[in-house]
Amino acid sequence: SSDVCSSDLEQTLCLIEEYISKMDTNENVDLNMQDTAILNLCTKEGAYVINISLALEQIWLSSPVSGPYQFQYIEKNWIFKF
């Protein structure tokens, strides 16, 4: 499942980069997936943090607007944990 998870995470990083490039921000974002990718993005709303871990097959997201989220890759699906 690690290869599928890795591919999904790489696609997710591409989508995040594309989304951020369209935002009104001075942040220059270039994400590379190794074992872990951490993105800290400061906006007028506050700080967004995205932590992607291949080893744990998890994505953690913290948003000043909507709060924290955790997703776990289980049996070829991303499961919302909290």
Side-chain angles (χ1 to χ4, degrees):
S1 75
S2 183
D3 290 339
V4 174
C5 176
S6 176
S7 175
D8 282 357
L9 290 175
E10 288 172 5
Q11 289 176 5
T12 301
L13 287 176
C14 288
L15 289 171
I16 292 168
E17 284 181 322
E18 182 179 320
Y19 179 77
I20 291 172
S21 71
K22 294 177 183 176
M23 293 175 65
D24 183 21
T25 178
N26 291 331
E27 298 290 325
N28 182 13
V29 178
D30 183 22
L31 302 174
N32 295 309
M33 196 68 205
Q34 305 250 338
D35 286 334
T36 301
I38 299 175
L39 167 67
N40 293 303
L41 178 65
C42 295
T43 68
K44 63 182 178 184
E45 292 88 12
Y48 291 84
V49 179
I50 301 171
N51 183 341
I52 299 175
S53 173
L54 278 178
L56 299 175
E57 297 184 340
Q58 294 180 347
I59 298 175
W60 292 75
L61 166 68
S62 177
S63 162
V65 177
S66 57
Y69 296 91
Q70 178 195 9
F71 300 90
Q72 178 75 44
Y73 194 74
I74 301 172
E75 297 179 11
K76 299 183 181 180
N77 292 295
W78 285 103
I79 308 297
F80 174 71
K81 301 296 273 187
F82 66 83

